[in-house]
Amino acid sequence: MSIFDFFRRKPTAHVARDRLQILLAHERSTFGRSDLVARLQEEILQVIRRHLDIDPDKVQIKLDRGDHVSTLEIDIEVPLTERAKVA
Amino acid sequence: MAKVIVVTSGKGGVGKTTSTAAIGAALAQSGDKVVVVDFDVGLRNLDLVMGAERRVVFDLINVIQGDAKLHQALIRDKRLENLSILPASQTRDKDALTSDGVAKVIAELREKFDWVLCDSPAGIERGPAMAMHHADIAIVVTNPEVSSVRDSDRIIGLLDSKTERAMRGERVEKHLLVTRYDPARAARGDMLKVEDVLEILSIPLLGIIPESQEVLKASNVGVPVTLNNPETAPARAYQDAVRRLRGETVPMVIPQERKTLVERLFGRRVA
C-alpha cells in the first residue's frame, strides 16, 4: 500500500451501520411483529365471532409501523344477511 | 435451580460451537455441574471441538427415541469431571427432534446439572427452534459484520415469540456475545464497532471475544479455548463473559494477546 492509497482509504463501517439500521427497521415490521399481528387477528376474530358469523379468511389485519405514527388496519367482510341483522 | 442456556446466532460459522465449549468449560472450572448439548442433528461438531469424538456411543436422538438412557449417552469430559457432553446424532435427520422428546431430555438434564448449554444449529428452522425452546437465557453470538447482525436480529425476534418463556408471557434473558472482534480494524472504521452492534440489536453485552489464532489452535487439538491456554486473550474474554453470566460486574475490556519479549522486538508473532 503506497502512501497515496493510505490517504484515499475510506472507512466502511458507518456504511454497514446505516444499511443495517434501514434494513432492520423494515424487517422488524415484517417478521418481528408478525406474531403480534397473528395474535391480534386471532383475538379480534374471537370477539367479533361472539356477535357475527364471519369467514376467518375474509378478515385482513395489517400493522404499519411509521416513525411517528403506527396504524392498525382491520378489514372485515361482513355477509349481507348479517349486516341486515345488525342494522 | 438449573439454568438452561441456548447459544444461538442464526448465521453459521460465527462461533456458536467454539463459544459453547469455551463457556461450558469455564462454568465447570468453578465446580458447577455443566452439560453441553449439541442440537445440530446431522452435522454434529461439539464432540470434535471438545475432543470427545471417539467416545460417542449414544446420542440425543437415541435418548429421545428411547434406544438409550440419558446416562448412557452423556460423555464425561476427560479434563473436568463435572463437565458432560450430550452429542447430536450424525446419521438421523432433524425431524427426529420431537418437541416432547426434547422437553423430556431437558427436564431430566435440569435435575442432574446446574447449567445446561444448548449449542444451536444455524438457521431458523426446526433444529434452532428446538434448541432455544426451553431456554431461560440466550447467548446471541454475533460477528461484527452485516449478515451476522441481520441474522441475530431475526433470532432475537424468535426468542421473544417462539420460546416456551415467550409463550407463557415471560422473557428469555438475552445476552450479546460479539466474537472475532478486531479492535484495530474497528478503530480504523473498517469494522462495525461493538457500540454499533449494541445500538442496532439493543440487548445487553455479555462479552467481546477478540479475533485470535488461539481459537483455531484449541479446536485443532479438541480442547475448549478456556482450558487449552487460559492465559490467551480469547480465553480471558470468555472467562470474563462467564463471570458476567453469573451476575458479577466485570469491566468490559477487550483482552489483548500478551506478547513475549522476542515478539515485541520483532513487532510480530513468531509462533
Side-chain angles (χ1 to χ4, degrees):
Chain A
M1 188 172 81
S2 79
I3 193 153
F4 300 107
D5 287 333
F6 181 80
F7 287 115
R8 265 206 305 270
R9 208 177 58 84
K10 285 197 187 104
T12 51
H14 70 279
V15 182
R17 188 193 57 206
D18 295 348
R19 288 175 61 217
L20 273 169
Q21 276 170 337
I22 294 166
L23 174 72
L24 294 181
H26 173 74
E27 286 192 342
R28 281 170 191 163
S29 65
T30 325
F31 305 111
R33 308 294 165 196
S34 62
D35 295 292
L36 174 64
V37 173
R39 267 207 309 275
L40 278 174
Q41 177 149 9
E42 189 49 44
E43 288 180 23
I44 290 168
L45 266 175
Q46 281 173 10
V47 172
I48 294 170
R49 272 208 199 114
R50 281 186 221 150
H51 306 283
L52 291 173
D53 185 21
I54 47 167
D55 180 353
D57 293 335
K58 301 279 171 61
V59 177
Q60 299 290 326
I61 296 183
K62 220 171 87 189
L63 184 66
D64 273 324
R65 295 198 160 235
D67 286 338
H68 302 292
V69 185
S70 297
T71 55
L72 177 68
E73 202 180 298
I74 307 169
D75 187 2
I76 305 168
E77 201 173 299
V78 181
L80 199 61
T81 50
E82 291 288 345
R83 205 183 329 169
K85 240 189 280 177
V86 174
Chain B
M1 185 65 185
K3 292 271 184 207
V4 177
I5 303 180
V6 62
V7 181
T8 185
S9 69
K11 190 176 185 300
V14 298
K16 285 182 294 298
T17 302
T18 301
S19 298
T20 305
I23 292 170
L27 279 169
Q29 273 181 312
S30 51
D32 285 352
K33 285 182 278 179
V34 180
V35 62
V36 290
V37 187
D38 193 344
F39 271 83
D40 206 342
V41 176
L43 289 170
R44 75 167 174 231
N45 273 319
L46 187 58
D47 56 331
L48 193 54
V49 170
M50 303 272 298
E53 72 278 9
R54 292 170 61 180
R55 297 164 63 212
V56 176
V57 182
F58 294 111
D59 57 55
L60 175 63
I61 302 300
N62 292 137
V63 179
I64 285 176
Q65 297 187 334
D67 301 328
K69 296 274 182 219
L70 181 59
H71 71 87
Q72 293 175 296
L74 288 170
I75 305 167
R76 189 163 289 189
D77 187 85
K78 280 190 169 162
R79 299 147 296 227
L80 292 166
E81 62 156 26
N82 51 332
L83 174 63
S84 296
I85 305 155
L86 182 55
S89 170
Q90 186 69 327
T91 51
R92 310 298 178 82
D93 87 1
K94 60 190 185 308
D95 295 333
L97 280 175
T98 60
S99 304
D100 290 351
V102 172
K104 265 176 75 180
V105 172
I106 295 288
E108 211 175 323
L109 291 172
R110 274 186 197 269
E111 304 266 308
K112 288 178 191 275
F113 296 93
D114 301 311
W115 300 91
V116 180
L117 263 81
C118 304
D119 183 18
S120 173
I124 53 169
E125 302 298 328
R126 183 164 190 82
M130 285 293 124
M132 71 166 66
H133 193 75
H134 301 279
D136 303 307
I137 301 171
I139 297 176
V140 180
V141 182
T142 307
N143 289 169
E145 179 269 325
V146 285
S147 54
S148 175
V149 175
R150 178 197 211 174
D151 293 357
S152 291
D153 194 74
R154 278 296 292 283
I155 284 292
I156 291 168
L158 294 177
L159 287 165
D160 286 338
S161 61
K162 302 286 187 198
T163 52
E164 194 181 50
R165 277 190 169 232
M167 288 171 186
R168 285 204 305 258
E170 295 169 22
R171 296 195 78 78
V172 174
E173 195 185 303
K174 300 181 294 285
H175 298 277
L176 179 68
L177 186 70
V178 177
T179 54
R180 307 201 69 166
Y181 192 64
D182 186 334
R185 292 179 73 189
R188 284 199 304 268
D190 292 336
M191 179 182 271
L192 283 168
K193 287 189 167 65
V194 170
E195 297 78 40
D196 296 333
V197 181
L198 273 173
E199 188 193 332
I200 294 166
L201 296 178
S202 52
I203 59 171
L205 183 62
L206 183 68
I208 306 164
I209 313 300
E211 171 80 68
S212 166
Q213 304 178 10
E214 298 300 328
V215 173
L216 181 60
K217 285 189 200 168
S219 80
N220 283 343
V221 293
V223 183
V225 68
T226 38
L227 294 184
N228 194 42
N229 194 345
E231 292 308 309
T232 57
R236 284 181 287 137
Y238 277 117
Q239 285 151 7
D240 283 355
V242 163
R243 287 169 61 198
R244 290 184 199 107
L245 199 59
R246 292 179 179 283
E248 287 180 48
T249 309
V250 183
M252 194 63 72
V253 289
I254 309 165
Q256 303 290 312
E257 225 70 80
R258 288 175 185 144
K259 290 187 175 179
T260 64
L261 181 63
V262 178
E263 285 163 358
R264 273 177 212 275
L265 287 175
F266 290 98
R268 56 184 284 271
R269 292 187 64 87
V270 289

